[in-house]
Amino acid sequence: MTDKTKSGETAEQPTPSEEGRKSATAADSIVQLGQTSIPSGESNIFCLTIIGQIEGHLMLPPQNKTTKYEHVIPQLVAAEQNAKIEGLLIVLNTVGGDVEAGLAIAEMIASLTKPTVTIVLGGGHSIGVPIAVSANYSLIAETATMTIHPIRMNGLVIGVPQTFDYLEKMQERVTRFVTRHSRISEEVFKQLMFKTGELTRDIGTTVIGGDAVKHGLINAVGGLGDALKELNRRIGERKANVAEGGSKA
């Protein structure tokens, strides 16, 4: 089908089959990745969402809202390689999940060369804490919460010293990452982690908004506008540094 333009020329209109394919692709992206588009040239900022429960090596029940790490890792690689993507915004509302999968995502975000900003909306609990602090700059909504607690194991646990040594090493991995990528000290982080009486069925601490900033976990309290403003500022600085380096050469 064709349509007359104002200049008298004809413009090609997409056929119904093409529109159907585009709609199907968009729907697949929403279902599989939780977003309306994959990294492309439409924007210089790539938005990555970490929502629900972080799924690792074992599949969770279908009724669970999950973020699959095998989906997230290729997206991060694509965003890093795409020259049109100049910065990444990571939005978190997660209850936590698989420890190694969460750490893998956090390590990849921390190793990106492009400016990154994370924002915690709703919650960034458990293994979501390392992901929240993995970016160059982190924000948290005023009403958002972050739960800090020791690592737990599901399923069969063999009560031998080696099992507890393994858990301790896993815990140290999380602690080292968080303290290395935030302003919180190891002592304060462990105090929050092993605090009793605050969580009903577990030990640990839930910090809300400004408390996360006071403890040094998160850089600032803010919303989406603040996150985008900070990310654009860092993108501008990176461009200026690259231009300055090129002029000196």
Side-chain angles (χ1 to χ4, degrees):
M1 293 178 63
T2 59
D3 186 24
K4 289 285 185 180
T5 62
K6 291 183 179 180
S7 61
E9 299 176 351
T10 58
E12 291 292 332
Q13 297 295 322
T15 63
S17 59
E18 290 175 346
E19 291 180 348
R21 283 196 297 271
K22 290 180 180 179
S23 298
T25 302
D28 288 342
S29 296
I30 293 172
V31 172
Q32 297 295 332
L33 307 176
Q35 59 186 29
T36 56
S37 62
I38 57 176
S40 65
E42 296 177 1
S43 172
N44 68 325
I45 293 175
F46 173 54
C47 178
L48 175 67
T49 55
I50 308 292
I51 59 173
Q53 193 165 348
I54 298 170
E55 186 178 89
H57 303 295
L58 298 177
M59 290 186 66
L60 294 170
Q63 68 269 20
N64 287 32
K65 180 72 70 176
T66 62
T67 294
K68 301 177 185 294
Y69 84 114
E70 70 268 25
H71 290 171
V72 173
I73 290 176
Q75 291 181 75
L76 290 172
V77 173
E80 175 72 6
Q81 288 184 317
N82 191 340
K84 295 180 180 179
I85 298 297
E86 297 177 321
L88 288 87
L89 175 67
I90 299 96
V91 180
L92 291 98
N93 189 2
T94 176
V95 296
D98 187 280
V99 174
E100 290 195 338
L103 280 178
I105 294 171
E107 289 283 9
M108 286 201 70
I109 294 172
S111 64
L112 293 171
T113 61
K114 298 178 180 181
T116 53
V117 171
T118 56
I119 177 170
V120 180
L121 300 172
H125 306 292
S126 193
I127 201 62
V129 174
I131 299 176
V133 304
S134 63
N136 303 135
Y137 194 82
S138 58
L139 294 103
I140 185 170
E142 187 177 353
T143 57
T145 60
M146 302 178 76
T147 301
I148 304 166
H149 63 75
I151 288 176
R152 298 181 298 242
M153 288 188 68
N154 294 326
L156 177 64
V157 178
I158 302 174
V160 295
Q162 288 83 350
T163 300
F164 300 106
D165 289 342
Y166 172 76
L167 279 173
E168 187 176 357
K169 288 179 181 178
M170 289 285 287
Q171 190 65 68
E172 284 301 316
R173 290 166 62 188
V174 175
T175 302
R176 282 199 304 268
F177 185 92
V178 172
T179 54
R180 190 169 67 245
H181 290 88
S182 68
R183 293 176 291 107
I184 194 170
S185 66
E186 182 176 343
E187 181 183 0
V188 173
F189 187 71
K190 287 186 175 181
Q191 284 177 357
L192 295 173
M193 184 184 300
F194 296 112
K195 187 176 180 180
T196 59
E198 184 166 328
L199 302 182
T200 306
R201 294 180 298 173
D202 197 3
I203 61 174
T205 305
T206 297
V207 292
I208 304 174
D211 292 334
V213 179
K214 290 178 183 178
H215 290 304
L217 262 181
I218 302 295
N219 293 112
V221 174
L224 179 60
D226 300 308
L228 289 173
K229 182 179 179 181
E230 177 64 26
L231 184 55
N232 282 313
R233 185 186 70 80
R234 290 176 178 270
I235 290 172
E237 284 185 353
R238 186 170 185 260
K239 286 181 178 179
N241 291 336
V242 171
E244 185 179 349
S247 62
K248 286 182 180 180

